[in-house]
Amino acid sequence: MKKHIFLIFFLSFVTVHVYAECPLDHFIIGINEDSISGTDDDNKLFVDCRQKYRSSGNWYYSLSASIFSDYKWRIGEPGFDGFQGTNSNAMYTYDPNRCLAGNPNEDYQIMIECISMPADFRAVHKDYPQFTINQIGQSFNHSEIHALRGDPHMHMSFQAVDGISLFWITWQMYDALGQYEPSEPFTLVFNVKPLAGDLVVDGTVDIYDLAELSYYWLKDEGSIYNDYYERADSNRDGKVNFLDFAMLASNWLDSL
């Protein structure tokens, strides 16, 4: 009896620890971003960004020197997690309205694809280094890792050749089995705060960024959960409007 009680306690501790107590930042993968059934986003993938840049307090992560000579400058966050509907102790990941339905890698295969990154940078899965991204167009199957590990919680290492240059990686998710619609792109920035208005992050404010601003134009629900519309809401007032356009215009054609 005592052994059973101890086992239950241990499993409960592990579950809470894995889902709720990890000190590292994570994107949370889900569907139905507005959490309302019957709307256009019911089957559309998205990432909850509430933990993005949580420890930095800014719009970038600083890379730190490591003991490794190859890609010496590194950081071990953010990783990926997923909404789920069974463990109510999971705190921020428990949301039955936003969790994916079915078995990972059988009913859905969530591919996380790199659509933009500079040279001399890479993203590596900490437990499965074969899932290494160092070129645009490469992807990894999050659902395969989910199935292998038994949960969607995973850690990434982001690595670069120096600790002062602007580095970034832009991801987009899609379901290889077609059950869910692709997500919007989402970007991580490292070492340097990007210029206000550099929304399609590449170090320069140009026509591509203006097009991105127009995509979010007059949306009014910017928050930490969507990273203020991927920084289109530059002043973080929740709205994308002329104030944000003015910030973009002030840096027009400027480069880092």
Side-chain angles (χ1 to χ4, degrees):
M1 180 66 178
K2 290 182 178 179
K3 289 183 178 179
H4 291 164
I5 293 174
F6 175 77
L7 180 60
I8 292 171
F9 172 79
F10 176 76
L11 291 175
S12 299
F13 171 80
V14 169
T15 301
V16 172
H17 175 75
V18 168
Y19 284 103
E21 300 298 333
C22 181
L24 301 178
D25 294 352
H26 292 79
F27 290 112
I28 311 171
I29 298 170
I31 55 170
N32 189 24
E33 184 173 6
D34 65 8
S35 198
I36 301 172
S37 298
T39 55
D40 291 342
D41 67 352
D42 282 5
N43 289 307
K44 184 174 182 177
L45 293 164
F46 82 101
V47 288
D48 183 303
C49 296
R50 73 183 71 186
Q51 293 188 352
K52 188 179 180 183
Y53 309 128
R54 176 175 57 169
S55 57
S56 72
N58 215 324
W59 262 321
Y60 68 96
Y61 288 101
S62 295
L63 301 177
S64 299
S66 71
I67 61 173
F68 302 98
S69 58
D70 187 33
Y71 288 82
K72 180 175 182 176
W73 297 84
R74 305 183 175 197
I75 190 171
E77 61 181 332
F80 290 90
D81 207 334
F83 285 112
Q84 51 81 35
T86 57
N87 179 18
S88 59
N89 291 321
M91 296 177 64
Y92 63 84
T93 62
Y94 177 71
D95 193 333
N97 292 326
R98 290 175 169 168
C99 64
L100 280 64
N103 297 316
N105 218 36
E106 295 179 8
D107 299 308
Y108 56 84
Q109 291 180 356
I110 305 306
M111 308 299 296
I112 302 179
E113 181 180 7
C114 170
I115 61 173
S116 178
M117 71 185 308
D120 300 321
F121 182 81
R122 67 187 183 188
V124 182
H125 188 282
K126 286 187 175 181
D127 297 322
Y128 301 96
Q130 67 267 33
F131 294 103
T132 294
I133 306 296
N134 55 22
Q135 294 181 30
I136 295 171
Q138 291 179 328
S139 61
F140 66 90
N141 184 346
H142 178 269
S143 300
E144 180 180 358
I145 300 171
H146 183 174
L148 286 170
R149 299 187 70 245
D151 71 68
H153 188 100
M154 57 167 283
H155 293 150
M156 300 288 293
S157 175
F158 298 92
Q159 307 171 4
V161 298
D162 73 68
I164 58 174
S165 300
L166 173 68
F167 291 99
W168 71 89
I169 186 165
T170 301
W171 303 106
Q172 187 169 27
M173 299 186 301
Y174 66 93
D175 180 4
L177 299 184
Q179 180 177 179
Y180 298 113
E181 300 170 27
S183 73
E184 300 295 337
F186 52 102
T187 301
L188 286 168
V189 182
F190 301 89
N191 284 341
V192 180
K193 181 180 179 180
L195 292 168
D198 184 13
L199 308 181
V200 182
V201 178
D202 60 4
T204 301
V205 179
D206 55 22
I207 192 67
Y208 298 105
D209 304 300
L210 184 59
E212 187 74 359
L213 184 73
S214 69
Y215 179 78
Y216 292 109
W217 188 246
L218 298 184
K219 290 185 180 291
D220 59 2
E221 295 183 0
S223 70
I224 61 171
Y225 298 99
N226 55 28
D227 194 23
Y228 295 93
Y229 296 119
E230 286 294 307
R231 298 177 38 255
D233 176 17
S234 296
N235 64 355
R236 305 191 196 197
D237 66 354
K239 305 171 184 177
V240 180
N241 54 26
F242 281 104
L243 297 177
D244 306 297
F245 172 76
M247 295 179 74
L248 182 151
S250 69
N251 290 324
W252 185 248
L253 298 184
D254 286 350
S255 297
L256 286 174

